[in-house]
Amino acid sequence: MTPSSAPRLSTREPARKTHPIARAKRLSHVTFERPDLDRTAVFLKDFGLEVVRRTNTELLLRGAHDHDSCYVVRRGPRPRFLGLGFEVGSLLEIQTLAALPGATRIASVGRLENGVATRLRDPSGFEVEALLATERKAPEPVEIAADGRTSRPNVLRLGQVVIEVADFQASSAWYTEHFGLIPSDVEVLPDGSPARAYFRLDQGATPTPSHALGIAQGFVPSLNRSAFVVRDADAIRARGVALTKRGWTHAWGMGRRIVGAHVCECWKDAYGDKHEHYCGGELVDATREPNVHPMAAESVAPWTKVPSSRISNARWSTRSWLRAWAWLRGNPKEYRHVFS
């Protein structure tokens, strides 16, 4: 590819912010609403998480390397993704975020031994919790087996959350301004507008995984997938065998993601939400500028003999994106989903 034909970003976002309100230190958790906690717990334990606490209204789970819960489930009337959380590093950052319009008052967090939090809403209506752990004990050591037969968790921690939004520019600006996220990889359409982008935490000179949050241009805000780190490809394979034997629905993989380079396999829970196991991937510091890529026909290069429809969601195909792009060019009115 010559320099003149190399893909270029034609929009303002995504871009890093010099002075964000806060700088996220860690992607802490995802939050879901489910009508049946028992059914939810069965899948998540088969997936490789461990139950931390269970009540009539809430289910908390963790991975082997988590200090606290990385997966929060609230009992509710319908199955849906509610949001995600980030841990920040100072009380001043929590206080500044809590002072923003629409944020909740600072309150203690029951699932943390010693911690406080405030909740905000992003432009798509997702709940985003900012946490501060004022005192933290080291997680209990966990013996991790790769054979899929252990009751202890094979999942190490939550690694990525990918969301689809109706207004990419507003969402990108919000997360980079509020939590200091840095764009790592941007996939663009032929006119240079972003189709999806992946962001990392700002850890300064410390190498950090290049993908922590993914934002994709869509029509309705929704969760694309939540992704969890495991030890290696053997652990992915073994857990996949166990999930197959227990009758869960396979979504894609095993394969290697074309952008990000990590090895992954994805499964659907009882309500159709995608949960991914992955290992590997790039580690970069805060100085690296974002890579711009043309929108790929497939997001995963498969290692297994699985029909392509099982590997790449049709929403992500180049042909689908080009049709949507052409339609939007002819219909410039802004479309945004509003949560009731």
Side-chain angles (χ1 to χ4, degrees):
M1 185 177 291
T2 64
S4 60
S5 63
R8 295 183 180 181
L9 182 66
S10 63
T11 58
R12 179 175 297 180
E13 292 290 338
R16 73 172 71 201
K17 304 300 183 290
T18 306
H19 301 291
I21 297 169
R23 294 186 192 275
K25 295 168 59 68
R26 184 174 67 93
L27 177 63
S28 64
H29 65 279
V30 285
T31 305
F32 289 83
E33 181 180 293
R34 296 290 191 241
D36 188 337
L37 297 188
D38 292 330
R39 191 180 183 195
T40 301
V42 170
F43 169 79
L44 294 173
K45 287 190 288 185
D46 287 347
F47 185 77
L49 292 167
E50 182 182 59
V51 174
V52 177
R53 190 174 74 212
R54 165 70 191 272
T55 68
N56 289 331
T57 59
E58 189 177 56
L59 175 67
L60 306 177
L61 302 100
R62 64 175 281 245
H65 289 180
D66 285 317
H67 296 272
D68 42 65
S69 54
C70 70
Y71 202 108
V72 179
V73 186
R74 300 176 193 154
R75 186 188 296 277
R78 58 193 176 102
R80 57 176 177 151
F81 171 71
L82 294 178
L84 63 156
F86 295 100
E87 184 178 333
V88 300
S90 71
L91 181 59
L92 177 60
E93 289 175 316
I94 288 284
Q95 290 172 334
T96 305
L97 290 168
L100 296 175
T104 63
R105 297 179 62 181
I106 297 173
S108 60
V109 184
R111 64 181 183 273
L112 296 178
E113 290 188 11
N114 292 284
V116 294
T118 181
R119 288 179 185 169
L120 304 93
R121 293 278 176 183
D122 76 359
S124 295
F126 294 128
E127 171 191 302
V128 182
E129 193 168 43
L131 302 167
L132 176 66
T134 55
E135 182 181 340
R136 169 167 283 158
K137 297 179 181 178
E140 292 182 14
V142 173
E143 188 69 28
I144 306 165
D147 60 11
R149 293 193 297 267
T150 178
S151 62
R152 306 298 285 173
N154 284 52
V155 165
L156 302 182
R157 59 179 177 82
L158 173 66
Q160 300 177 37
V161 178
V162 182
I163 56 175
E164 299 178 20
V165 301
D167 190 337
F168 178 93
Q169 295 296 302
S171 295
S172 173
W174 193 89
Y175 282 96
T176 52
E177 289 171 357
H178 286 71
F179 292 98
L181 301 187
I182 301 173
S184 297
D185 292 287
V186 187
E187 295 184 72
V188 297
L189 296 171
D191 67 348
S193 58
R196 59 184 170 224
Y198 295 96
F199 300 79
R200 66 187 184 274
L201 306 177
D202 185 354
Q203 301 285 8
T206 302
T208 188
S210 61
H211 294 182
L213 176 70
I215 300 177
Q217 178 64 64
F219 295 101
V220 177
S222 61
L223 174 70
N224 178 269
R225 67 183 183 275
S226 52
F228 298 79
V229 179
V230 297
R231 184 176 58 185
D232 52 27
D234 286 339
I236 296 176
R237 179 197 58 78
R239 185 53 65 175
V241 169
L243 285 162
T244 299
K245 289 180 178 178
R246 291 161 190 168
W248 296 107
T249 302
H250 181 256
W252 63 62
M254 286 178 64
R256 184 177 292 276
R257 286 206 169 272
I258 296 169
V259 175
H262 51 271
V263 178
C264 64
E265 185 170 44
C266 194
W267 297 83
K268 292 183 180 180
D269 70 4
Y271 299 99
D273 281 314
K274 295 191 286 287
H275 293 66
E276 182 177 285
H277 291 128
Y278 78 96
C279 64
E282 299 176 301
L283 296 175
V284 296
D285 63 22
T287 62
R288 199 196 78 176
E289 293 300 316
N291 293 322
V292 180
H293 315 266
M295 185 67 184
E298 302 285 358
S299 61
V300 178
W303 288 6
T304 52
K305 294 181 180 180
V306 183
S308 60
S309 62
R310 294 278 299 279
I311 295 167
S312 178
N313 190 315
R315 286 177 297 179
W316 297 111
S317 70
T318 300
R319 183 178 298 175
S320 296
W321 274 112
L322 289 175
R323 286 200 300 265
W325 173 64
W327 183 85
L328 287 169
R329 284 176 65 90
N331 297 270
K333 180 181 177 180
E334 180 182 7
Y335 289 85
R336 182 182 298 185
H337 177 80
V338 179
F339 278 71
S340 59

